[in-house]
Amino acid sequence: MILSSACNSDSTIQELTPTPTLAAYIAPAELEKMPVLVAPETPLPSGPTATPFVHIVQQGETLLGIAIRYGVTLDNLLLVNPGVDPRILSVGQNVAIPGPSGEPIDLLLPTPTPAPLDIGEVYCYPGRGEMIWCLAEASNNTASGIEGLGVLISLFDINGNQVAQSPANSLTRFLPPDRSAILVAAFSEPLAPPFRALVDQISGVQVSNLEERLIEAQIRDLKVDRAVGNQLITFSGMIELQADQIQGVVNVTLQIFGYNDAGEPNASNAFQTSIELITDPIPFQLSLYSLGGEIEDFSILAEVQNKINRE
């Protein structure tokens, strides 16, 4: 996978259907980021262990998010929970997790040890209503790609009581070497700052054949339009693929991350799409909204793979 930019083009840009990771929200300048206290030297409890027998569904959770949180596959989670509808989960619903205490015995899964990542501090911002968005940047400083990256963000009050917990995952399947991704967690319950924020890596395994699993891609004709005092940036351009690597349907994920002048993450947005029999470069247009302050810098992470690699 190769990313690059070139001069602007007069080519007509068709907007692809976006799958946003963040709601469109322009934070007033006076809001900035919410106060988040530095985690204490003595670690606070970070919630459930990696393979509990039962998980109790919380508001906003999905079955895929639960699977990633505990380091198990979605297929095995469905097998252990035949009566659970993956499209509709209810708050308080019990979901059995394959593990040393789980049933049936033939579906017990080992808990993988996550690949080593450099995970930065957590930054939280107010959203619409009582929504709170918390962002953490994960960097892959290893020589191998990392697959299935996921972290768990926990918030504690000033007395050390856990008040909220949510998984934060990447939409891309892989994080290449020497690249970073901003992981986003959403909290919808009313919370009173300040918080202590802890982030724990819960998934991510190293892969050695990353170049064989991804289609080589380049970003061409990148155009960047800034507005609203650098709190809104619109990106457009073309994703050019290595034609001889394409086999039928390709899955495309494009993520764009924003940072303030201190290098702190303050924006993230993405889209995903599947295209069949593609021969021409893929046009894209995507807007990046700040959750607090100006967006001074940005990075782009694109991933293209044949659909057969995801089956």
Side-chain angles (χ1 to χ4, degrees), residues 64-96:
L64 177 59
I66 294 172
I68 294 174
R69 172 177 177 177
Y70 293 105
V72 301
T73 66
L74 180 59
D75 287 343
N76 279 288
L77 198 59
L78 288 170
L79 287 172
V80 176
N81 298 274
V84 173
D85 185 344
R87 299 167 299 176
I88 304 175
L89 295 181
S90 303
V91 174
Q93 182 177 3
N94 291 340
V95 176

Side-chain angles (χ1 to χ4, degrees), residues 42 46 169:
T42 301
S46 58
N169 310 306

Side-chain angles (χ1 to χ4, degrees), residues 84-309:
V84 173
D85 185 344
R87 299 167 299 176
I88 304 175
L89 295 181
S90 303
V91 174
Q93 182 177 3
N94 291 340
V95 176
I97 307 297
S101 303
E103 294 290 348
I105 190 74
D106 59 328
L107 293 178
L108 299 184
L109 299 175
T111 303
T113 300
L117 284 171
D118 182 10
I119 302 177
E121 295 183 24
V122 179
Y123 299 90
C124 295
Y125 303 87
R128 290 177 176 171
E130 297 177 335
M131 180 71 71
I132 293 175
W133 297 101
C134 289
L135 285 63
E137 184 179 48
S139 301
N140 179 10
N141 297 318
T142 71
S144 303
I146 293 179
E147 181 177 8
L149 172 61
V151 302
L152 188 65
I153 294 179
S154 304
L155 301 181
F156 299 83
D157 64 22
I158 58 176
N159 296 317
N161 301 311
Q162 181 177 303
V163 294
Q165 189 177 69
S166 178
N169 310 306
S170 174
L171 285 183
T172 55
R173 184 175 180 180
F174 302 99
L175 183 61
D178 300 319
R179 293 302 308 269
S180 299
I182 294 176
L183 308 182
V184 182
F187 298 90
S188 57
E189 59 266 44
L191 300 171
F195 311 119
R196 287 189 177 97
L198 293 180
V199 56
D200 295 310
Q201 184 183 345
I202 56 176
S203 62
V205 295
Q206 290 181 297
V207 291
S208 58
N209 60 340
L210 188 61
E211 66 283 353
E212 299 174 8
R213 306 178 70 174
L214 296 176
I215 297 174
E216 186 176 326
Q218 293 181 328
I219 295 180
R220 302 288 192 189
D221 305 330
L222 180 65
K223 183 179 180 182
V224 180
D225 293 319
R226 296 177 177 266
V228 196
N230 273 349
Q231 294 192 60
L232 168 63
I233 304 179
T234 300
F235 300 84
S236 60
M238 313 291 286
I239 303 175
E240 188 174 77
L241 310 182
Q242 186 69 32
D244 58 5
Q245 296 178 326
I246 299 174
Q247 303 176 28
V249 178
V250 297
N251 292 321
V252 180
T253 301
L254 182 71
Q255 289 188 270
I256 303 180
F257 311 115
Y259 305 84
N260 62 20
D261 57 359
E264 302 165 348
N266 66 349
S268 176
N269 205 1
F271 74 72
Q272 293 178 307
T273 188
S274 295
I275 302 178
E276 187 175 8
L277 301 176
I278 182 70
T279 57
D280 299 323
I282 304 170
F284 71 87
Q285 181 169 308
L286 185 65
S287 294
L288 189 63
Y289 305 91
S290 169
L291 291 173
E294 297 184 4
I295 302 174
E296 295 293 340
D297 197 7
F298 63 86
S299 65
I300 301 176
L301 185 61
E303 179 179 277
V304 183
Q305 54 185 315
N306 292 307
K307 189 173 182 179
I308 57 174
N309 286 338

